[in-house]
């Protein structure tokens, strides 16, 4: 009887996994933490780099552009590391620049993320088919 219960539990677990298999909660948590760390690093970068600078001055504009460049590379790093949905998000951000001009996504972000529109990471059919 215990063996039958164990088999029933295994079948139930297999049904729960569905087509995509069991979720990897540690992978999701790791990705979220990595992304959050990059976001916090960029937030700190803006705060520290722009502290004490008068908005509109050439010094402020230069510091802001440097922050944008560093932040854009952080965003690209996240997309390269995690692929999938992160690459799609990068493609979307790069594509909306044209409609928003300088009032929307800063140009360094669109430029850095545009590599995912022209040279998106790819896998062969053999690599993707098992998933």
């Amino acid at each position: 009887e215990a063996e039958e219960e164990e088999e029933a539990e295994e079948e139930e677990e297999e049904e729960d996994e569905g087509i995509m298999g069991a979720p990897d909660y540690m992978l999701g948590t790791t990705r979220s933490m990595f992304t959050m760390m990059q976001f916090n690093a960029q937030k700190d970068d803006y705060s520290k780099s722009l502290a004490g600078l008068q908005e509109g001055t050439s010094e402020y504009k230069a510091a802001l552009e440097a922050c944008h460049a560093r932040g854009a590379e952080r965003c690209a790093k996240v997309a390269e590391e995690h692929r999938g949905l992160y690459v799609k998000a990068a493609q979307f951000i790069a594509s909306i620049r044209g409609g928003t001009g300088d009032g929307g996504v800063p140009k360094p972000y669109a430029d850095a993320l545009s590599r995912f529109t022209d040279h998106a990471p790819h896998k062969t059919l053999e690599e993707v088919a098992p998933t």
Side-chain angles (χ1 to χ4, degrees), residues 18-85:
I19 294 172
M20 296 183 64
D24 184 345
Y25 295 112
M26 283 307 297
L27 177 62
T29 301
T30 301
R31 285 180 172 181
S32 295
M33 292 301 293
F34 178 82
T35 303
M36 187 175 73
M37 287 170 46
Q38 295 301 316
F39 174 81
N40 285 334
Q42 187 56 31
K43 183 178 151 217
D44 290 345
D45 188 9
Y46 278 105
S47 295
K48 291 175 183 173
S49 297
L50 301 176
L53 299 178
Q54 181 66 36
E55 193 171 338
T57 63
S58 59
E59 187 180 9
Y60 180 91
K61 289 177 185 176
L64 183 61
E65 281 301 308
C67 282
H68 287 337
R70 290 187 298 272
E73 285 307 311
R74 283 187 181 100
C75 285
K77 180 180 177 182
V78 167
E80 285 171 3
E81 185 75 25
H82 300 313
R83 304 160 104 49
L85 184 60

Side-chain angles (χ1 to χ4, degrees), residues 76-97:
K77 180 180 177 182
V78 167
E80 285 171 3
E81 185 75 25
H82 300 313
R83 304 160 104 49
L85 184 60
Y86 290 85
V87 170
K88 282 297 186 195
Q91 290 170 340
F92 175 73
I93 292 168
S95 72
I96 62 173
R97 167 88 178 133

